[in-house]
Amino acid sequence: LAWGGAAEQAAEIAEGKLDAKDWQAEAKKIVKNTMAQYYANRPSARNRPVGNDAPVPGGEAPMSDFDKHRETLISEDAEEGWASELARYLGAMERDVKKDTDIVEWWQNHVQLYPTLARIALDVLPSQASSVPCERMFSGTKQIATDRRSCLGPKPFEELTVMKSAWGPGIYDAASWNSAQVEEVGLVEFEEMLVDD
């Protein structure tokens, strides 16, 4: 709701910015389109036959009147199902969400209540908000793609890149650790040895 809405759009148009947008409406439109796509591709929808004369799964016979009626009801539910879920989410004030809430964990815990939104959130949230980590990873691939490793296929190359990115910062560098260690030597021991000599 912090994004500009219809009032802000009207104010910008009055100032002469004719291409001003109602960003709240744009965001809602994107969410609705995405929910419709995810809802249509949910696991139970993918296994369903398409069309009124589609064969029943496992058989070659056309659908019965009952099956046709059932498919009509399911297709009518397709839009209503995700729309009611979105309306329920937008109308609810989730009390357990605070500034420091782990959003990924929250969506994992609420997948039963908001199944379509949870699938979208769990697909979108792992995406990096900054391009710096992926640029750093892309730059690091030149150390993997050397002349000696030119025969690597795409899958091993991808696996090496991901492992280097994930484990690289935590790999223990024994050489630099050894060079950083300073051994303090007491001269008293050597003075005694010199006296003995």
Side-chain angles (χ1 to χ4, degrees):
L1 294 176
W3 294 358
E8 288 83 355
Q9 179 188 22
E12 286 183 23
I13 290 173
E15 292 173 4
K17 188 175 180 185
L18 301 177
D19 60 343
K21 291 190 176 192
D22 179 352
W23 291 109
Q24 291 176 8
E26 289 289 321
K28 285 180 183 175
K29 183 169 48 171
I30 290 169
V31 169
K32 287 178 181 179
N33 290 339
T34 306
M35 285 196 70
Q37 290 174 359
Y38 270 72
Y39 195 83
N41 292 323
R42 68 192 189 283
S44 62
R46 275 183 275 162
N47 301 331
R48 195 177 303 127
V50 179
N52 285 342
D53 293 325
V56 177
E60 297 297 323
M63 294 173 65
S64 67
D65 289 339
F66 173 80
D67 288 334
K68 288 179 184 178
H69 179 66
R70 180 178 174 275
E71 287 302 312
T72 304
L73 294 177
I74 289 173
S75 64
E76 288 172 2
D77 174 60
E79 185 172 327
E80 192 175 299
W82 68 260
S84 62
E85 179 183 336
L86 181 61
R88 189 172 63 247
Y89 174 74
L90 293 174
M93 180 59 68
E94 302 295 343
R95 298 185 184 277
D96 58 342
V97 176
K98 305 214 176 353
K99 185 177 180 180
D100 58 343
T101 300
D102 182 350
I103 299 297
V104 174
E105 183 181 343
W106 189 89
W107 278 110
Q108 287 173 338
N109 294 337
H110 290 77
V111 73
Q112 295 296 327
L113 187 59
Y114 307 115
T116 309
L117 279 171
R119 283 184 51 227
I120 295 169
L122 294 175
D123 281 350
V124 171
L125 288 174
S127 301
Q128 292 286 339
S130 167
S131 64
V132 173
C134 34
E135 286 177 16
R136 188 178 298 127
M137 188 163 92
F138 182 75
S139 297
T141 58
K142 67 183 172 190
Q143 296 171 346
I144 296 172
T146 61
D147 291 338
R148 298 179 83 191
R149 295 183 182 149
S150 62
C151 294
L152 277 176
K155 186 159 179 64
F157 182 78
E158 179 184 356
E159 290 169 353
L160 285 170
T161 306
V162 170
M163 284 191 299
K164 182 176 187 263
S165 173
W167 295 343
I171 292 178
Y172 179 68
D173 187 357
S176 64
W177 182 82
N178 283 336
S179 63
Q181 298 301 313
V182 177
E183 186 178 340
E184 292 185 21
V185 179
L187 292 178
V188 175
E189 254 181 72
F190 292 105
E191 287 174 0
E192 290 174 1
M193 290 172 64
L194 183 59
V195 169
D196 289 342
D197 279 347

